[in-house]
Amino acid sequence: DVYKRQCQNFLISNSAGQMQQIMGWTQEISDQARRAGEIIKRLGSFVRKSPPFRSALDMNELVVDSVKLLEFEARRQEVHIDLDLPESPAMTLADRVQIQQVLVNLIRNAFDAMQEAGTEERRVSILGKNVGKKITIHVRDRGDGFSNENAAQLFETFFTTKEEGMGMGLAISRSIIEAHDGRLWAENHPDGGAVFSFEIPVRKKLTEPVWQRPSSEESQ
């Protein structure tokens, strides 16, 4: 919508020398529509219990691409996104579109959690770690966090704290991560807000043994 309005305004004003900028916007509209279509198509396959389409994937690159996908939504909601990713590639074998759906869902949830916060407080921090045989991604918001009562239900199907939510996003996200031999969890940050995290194993081939998942105490 932002691109559409800006393109219309430029076309109406018939300003010279701005056609190149308009062409760039229209290309971005096309790219975002294509990526959204891929997510919907692959998500439908997941719901039908189709196996993940695994390929070589750099999680650092996927995080950056997911942030770009939400760039204009972040601008509209006046949210700043901080990235802290490893310098070296975080490589694994995974379904790119499914994992991106998880990332997009977690980042959008972080946006929603800060709707009542002041503009200066609307920050999302995405921290990536590549240690040993696992890759971990943390998405932190600066909202109000969640209560102990809601904590036990966050990943249940149809549970939501949003007025217009369906309660499917986190449940599907957890299923996707578990289908990749990983886990997804949430906790309140000591300095405020919530942190949603997931980890998946580093893999160079599908026959490689899966790392042993740590206990809840070891992951703290």
Side-chain angles (χ1 to χ4, degrees), residues 76-99:
R76 181 176 62 83
Q77 298 192 41
E78 298 181 279
V79 176
H80 183 81
I81 301 176
D82 298 313
L83 293 180
D84 186 357
L85 302 174
E87 293 183 3
S88 58
M91 302 300 299
T92 187
L93 286 176
D95 189 311
R96 177 187 179 88
V97 176
Q98 286 188 5
I99 299 298

Side-chain angles (χ1 to χ4, degrees), residues 37-100:
E38 289 175 351
I39 288 175
I40 293 171
K41 180 179 179 181
R42 194 63 55 80
L43 189 57
S45 297
F46 177 78
V47 172
R48 293 192 298 271
K49 304 299 183 182
S50 300
F53 181 78
R54 298 176 191 258
S55 59
L57 176 65
D58 179 3
M59 284 299 301
N60 294 341
E61 184 272 333
L62 187 64
V63 169
V64 173
D65 187 62
S66 299
V67 170
K68 288 181 179 178
L69 188 63
L70 296 172
E71 179 182 1
F72 290 92
E73 187 171 341
R75 289 183 183 179
R76 181 176 62 83
Q77 298 192 41
E78 298 181 279
V79 176
H80 183 81
I81 301 176
D82 298 313
L83 293 180
D84 186 357
L85 302 174
E87 293 183 3
S88 58
M91 302 300 299
T92 187
L93 286 176
D95 189 311
R96 177 187 179 88
V97 176
Q98 286 188 5
I99 299 298
Q100 184 164 53

Side-chain angles (χ1 to χ4, degrees), residues 3-4 6-7 10 17-32 35 71-72:
Y3 280 138
K4 181 179 178 181
Q6 290 179 330
C7 288
F10 276 126
Q18 293 176 325
M19 288 303 297
Q20 190 66 34
Q21 188 173 12
I22 294 174
M23 290 297 293
W25 287 340
T26 56
Q27 182 61 50
E28 185 67 22
I29 292 171
S30 176
D31 291 344
Q32 290 195 12
R35 286 186 297 229
E71 179 182 1
F72 290 92

